[in-house]
């Protein structure tokens, strides 16, 4: 399968099965906006929930926040976003289409074939709007272009209320907005996206140790959620290409079908942000060491994870095509079958209950069983089509377990459980079923 093909197939699967739809589609869409559908929201929420559990709830040294999307514009002045958060743009003189100057290496405009371009101009990527009814300069606010700054701005309040001691971290999951010049490649680069970010506050002398530590944590996370490790690259960004505030940055890149591009990043931001905010706000943001009374501005390691790029990397890693189909189905299948080998922890639907017949004597207890399992897991009940078709529908969305309820179940009180990956089928007593799934679906 060529890489282009893979991307096309994945986008089509996402649309067909309700993972991701083009946004505002009945009005002809809105360029590069995407809506997560019924299965997509489950998968995305599972990724976020797992991340929060691993990096916040299961740790003693981490607390979370959920800050407002619109912050006082002084935040963005102090952070440098108003003056620096820009890409260089050139414009075709004929059709006025704009391109990113740093990545545009063609002689002709791809839109109109024009050959004359303006000189590069900086274009700020922040979305602006007005707060309140008057559309005037004084009321301009920005949608945050990253979640990170709220963690710096709220640092003194978190410190006071959580009684954390350094080293400790603040985590946040939330939307960020960037008026990207060249969005595209499905959900890889959009203007509205989600981030999961950590600011880990440390003493300056420890930065190397914690940089390595968090890089390892990121690797473990990627393996936990089933991202194909053979497609990952860890790229140390050279001095002249790093953001001015960073003393070390590693980009974690993934082999997408459209090329090797950034998935996540980790940066040592020194104490740049806290010192900028301390100077601009005139507030004391220093940390006082309770042991020796020493006061200092903590340094920061920032691991950052894009939610949408995680979603894409997870799907690309899980997508498997089996030529000629799989052998359990009774029908002869000529075409290939798709199996999404998603990690069980993040699969949108955990269990499908499939009665072998639509007759009441089987379908009623099967529905009851589905309702019972639903209390703990996201379950789909499906009674339409042959059993082979129903298995294929579930394989295609990555459901780890299918339970078939048949006429024998009425006699022996057992159901058949089929495993998505091994395709092994076993008879399990109804009385043991919840325990069976607890052991397999919960960690
Ligand atoms: P890129 O170089 O691809 O523009 P970046 O280096 O600007 O990314 P960061 O500012 O480090 O990105 O943002 C942190 C994370 O947020 C990225 O690693 C990525 O996962 C995600 N991200 C950034 N921009 C976008 C976007 N436009 N659409 C989707 N995810 C994004």
């Amino acid at each position: 399968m060529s890489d282009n093909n893979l991307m096309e197939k994945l986008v089509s699967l996402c649309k067909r099965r309700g993972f991701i739809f083009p946004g505002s589609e009945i009005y002809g869409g809105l360029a590069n906006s995407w809506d997560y559908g019924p299965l997509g929201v489950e998968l995305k929420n599972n990724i976020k929930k797992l991340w929060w559990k691993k990096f916040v709830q299961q740790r003693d040294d981490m607390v979370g926040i959920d800050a407002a999307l619109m912050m006082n514009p002084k935040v963005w002045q102090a952070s440098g976003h108003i003056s620096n958060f820009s890409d260089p743009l050139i414009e075709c003189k004929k059709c006025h289409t704009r391109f990113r100057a740093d990545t545009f290496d063609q002689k002709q405009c791809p839109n109109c074939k024009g050959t004359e371009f303006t000189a590069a101009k900086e274009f700020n990527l922040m979305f602006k709007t007005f707060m309140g009814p008057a559309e005037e300069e004084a009321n301009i606010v920005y949608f945050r272009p990253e979640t990170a700054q709220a963690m710096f701005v709220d640092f003194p309040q978190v410190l006071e209320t959580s009684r954390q001691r350094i080293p400790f971290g603040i985590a946040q999951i939330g939307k960020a907005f960037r008026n990207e010049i060249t969005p595209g490649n499905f959900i890889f680069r959009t203007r509205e996206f989600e981030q999961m970010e950590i600011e880990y506050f440390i003493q300056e002398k420890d930065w190397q140790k914690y940089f390595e530590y968090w890089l390892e944590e990121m690797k473990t996370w990627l393996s936990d959620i089933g991202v194909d490790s053979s497609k990952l690259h860890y790229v140390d960004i050279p001095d002249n290409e790093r953001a001015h505030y960073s003393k070390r940055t590693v980009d974690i890149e993934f082999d997408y079908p459209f090329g090797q591009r950034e998935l996540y990043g980790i940066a040592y931001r020194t104490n740049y942000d806290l010192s900028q905010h301390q100077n601009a706000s005139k507030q004391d943001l220093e940390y006082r060491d309770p042991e020796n009374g020493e006061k200092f501005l903590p340094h920061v390691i920032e691991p950052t994870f894009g939610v949408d790029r995680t979603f894409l990397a997870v799907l690309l890693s899980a997508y498997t095509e089996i030529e000629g189909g799989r052998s359990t189905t009774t029908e002869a299948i000529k075409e290939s079958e798709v199996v999404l080998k998603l990690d069980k922890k993040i699969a949108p639907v955990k269990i499908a209950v499939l009665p072998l017949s639509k007759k009441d004597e089987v379908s009623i207890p099967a529905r009851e069983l589905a309702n019972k399992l639903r209390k703990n897991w996201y379950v789909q009940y499906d009674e339409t089509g042959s059993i082979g078709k129903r298995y294929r529908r579930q394989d295609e969305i990555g459901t780890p377990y299918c339970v078939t309820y048949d006429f024998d179940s009425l006699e022996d009180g057992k159901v058949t459980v089929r495993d998505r990956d091994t395709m092994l089928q076993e008879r399990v007593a109804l009385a043991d079923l919840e325990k069976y799934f607890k052991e397999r679906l919960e960690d």
Side-chain angles (χ1 to χ4, degrees):
M1 189 176 10
S2 81
D3 276 355
N4 263 345
N5 245 338
L6 171 60
M7 206 55 205
E8 250 168 53
K9 284 178 175 170
L10 195 75
V11 174
S12 133
L13 172 75
C14 282
K15 186 168 184 207
R16 189 160 37 83
R17 299 307 311 272
F19 281 92
I20 298 177
F21 312 126
S24 319
E25 204 183 14
I26 62 166
Y27 288 103
L30 173 70
N32 296 292
S33 85
W34 300 96
D35 293 345
Y36 286 81
L39 292 181
V41 69
E42 293 297 329
L43 176 56
K44 192 176 176 196
N45 281 345
N46 289 345
I47 292 170
K48 292 192 284 183
K49 272 192 281 186
L50 194 70
W51 188 91
W52 195 258
K53 189 169 159 190
K54 176 177 168 70
F55 291 119
V56 182
Q57 296 175 331
Q58 291 182 337
R59 300 181 59 117
D60 204 22
D61 60 345
M62 193 80 85
V63 288
I65 60 165
D66 183 15
L69 296 182
M70 287 180 283
M71 305 177 76
N72 189 316
K74 288 179 183 162
V75 170
W76 308 113
Q77 246 150 30
S79 67
H81 282 83
I82 289 181
S83 47
N84 296 326
F85 193 59
S86 56
D87 280 337
L89 263 195
I90 52 168
E91 195 174 299
C92 167
K93 285 192 176 169
K94 202 165 147 202
C95 72
H96 302 289
T97 307
R98 291 171 163 187
F99 304 95
R100 262 175 77 160
D102 52 344
T103 52
F104 190 76
D105 56 0
Q106 299 167 50
K107 299 244 157 18
Q108 275 194 333
C109 168
N111 189 40
C112 72
K113 306 273 181 282
T115 50
E116 285 190 73
F117 299 93
T118 61
K121 252 214 252 138
E122 290 296 318
F123 171 78
N124 194 291
L125 299 180
M126 281 199 293
F127 273 97
K128 256 188 214 169
T129 190
F130 298 95
M131 204 163 217
E135 296 197 1
E136 53 197 38
E137 187 78 21
N139 292 339
I140 288 178
V141 287
Y142 302 91
F143 285 110
R144 66 181 180 201
E146 60 177 33
T147 61
Q149 292 305 319
M151 268 107 66
F152 298 119
V153 172
D154 288 351
F155 174 74
Q157 283 145 293
V158 172
L159 197 59
E160 200 176 302
T161 51
S162 68
R163 307 175 67 211
Q164 286 284 349
R165 286 182 180 195
I166 275 172
F168 81 96
I170 307 181
Q172 181 169 217
I173 300 180
K175 288 254 172 161
F177 299 81
R178 294 182 188 178
N179 202 359
E180 298 275 7
I181 297 149
T182 47
N185 288 322
F186 195 33
I187 53 169
F188 174 79
R189 188 181 301 287
T190 49
R191 295 189 169 115
E192 175 184 341
F193 56 96
E194 238 175 322
Q195 295 182 317
M196 309 184 278
E197 288 195 305
I198 293 168
E199 303 303 331
Y200 198 74
F201 299 94
I202 54 168
Q203 294 194 33
E204 181 176 7
K205 67 175 173 54
D206 294 330
W207 80 265
Q208 268 131 330
K209 175 172 103 187
Y210 286 114
F211 194 99
E212 293 308 327
Y213 168 80
W214 278 105
L215 191 53
E216 279 310 308
E217 286 291 288
M218 295 176 94
K219 285 184 192 170
T220 314
W221 158 258
L222 284 163
S223 132
D224 277 357
I225 56 171
V227 173
D228 183 348
S229 62
S230 70
K231 293 195 164 135
L232 288 169
H233 307 271
Y234 297 84
V235 183
D236 242 295
I237 305 299
D239 288 356
N240 57 347
E241 288 174 29
R242 271 197 312 266
H244 59 285
Y245 51 75
S246 173
K247 277 213 178 147
R248 187 180 172 202
T249 299
V250 172
D251 278 355
I252 303 181
E253 300 184 348
F254 181 78
D255 292 321
Y256 300 92
F258 43 86
Q260 180 183 327
R261 307 275 163 83
E262 178 170 331
L263 169 60
Y264 299 155
I266 173 168
Y268 166 42
R269 293 177 79 120
T270 67
N271 62 2
Y272 172 80
D273 303 87
L274 283 181
S275 72
Q276 288 292 104
H277 289 303
Q278 174 158 282
N279 291 339
S281 68
K282 312 270 183 287
Q283 303 287 314
D284 179 6
L285 302 184
E286 287 193 334
Y287 171 82
R288 190 167 202 279
D289 190 320
E291 253 132 60
N292 57 18
E294 194 193 320
K295 281 189 84 186
F296 63 96
L297 270 183
H299 281 232
V300 160
I301 303 292
E302 178 191 73
T304 171
F305 309 64
V307 176
D308 312 82
R309 289 187 193 175
T310 308
F311 191 108
L312 187 55
V314 155
L315 281 185
L316 287 165
S317 304
Y319 189 93
T320 316
E321 259 180 19
I322 297 165
E323 290 304 325
R326 309 221 283 186
S327 53
T328 49
T329 49
T330 45
E331 302 132 59
I333 302 156
K334 300 268 165 18
E335 79 274 26
S336 64
E337 268 179 55
V338 172
V339 183
L340 271 191
K341 296 198 167 175
L342 291 170
D343 186 276
K344 289 174 197 168
K345 297 190 284 299
I346 57 171
V349 177
K350 306 288 188 217
I351 305 163
V353 176
L354 316 171
L356 219 54
S357 154
K358 277 188 188 167
K359 288 203 175 115
D360 281 357
E361 53 186 313
V362 171
S363 70
I364 291 174
R367 259 186 207 282
E368 278 167 10
L369 173 64
N371 286 339
K372 196 169 153 206
L373 294 172
R374 230 169 237 138
K375 295 200 172 103
N376 286 309
W377 300 284
Y378 192 48
V379 172
Q380 268 190 3
Y381 174 85
D382 184 7
E383 59 177 28
T384 49
S386 69
I387 190 71
K389 275 212 181 86
R390 282 182 274 164
Y391 279 150
R392 288 207 294 283
R393 278 205 285 266
Q394 296 301 331
D395 285 347
E396 202 182 39
I397 61 169
T399 307
Y401 296 105
C402 290
V403 175
T404 40
Y405 198 105
D406 54 26
F407 289 97
D408 288 343
S409 307
L410 300 169
E411 305 295 321
D412 65 3
K414 289 183 176 169
V415 284
T416 304
V417 180
R418 171 206 187 248
D419 181 297
R420 178 198 67 199
D421 299 330
T422 61
M423 292 205 304
L424 288 177
Q425 305 201 3
E426 51 180 327
R427 293 290 280 177
V428 180
L430 281 161
D432 297 335
L433 205 55
E434 278 178 303
K435 183 165 162 268
Y436 179 93
F437 286 130
K438 274 207 169 105
E439 281 166 11
R440 285 160 180 79
L441 289 168
E442 290 168 17
D443 45 30

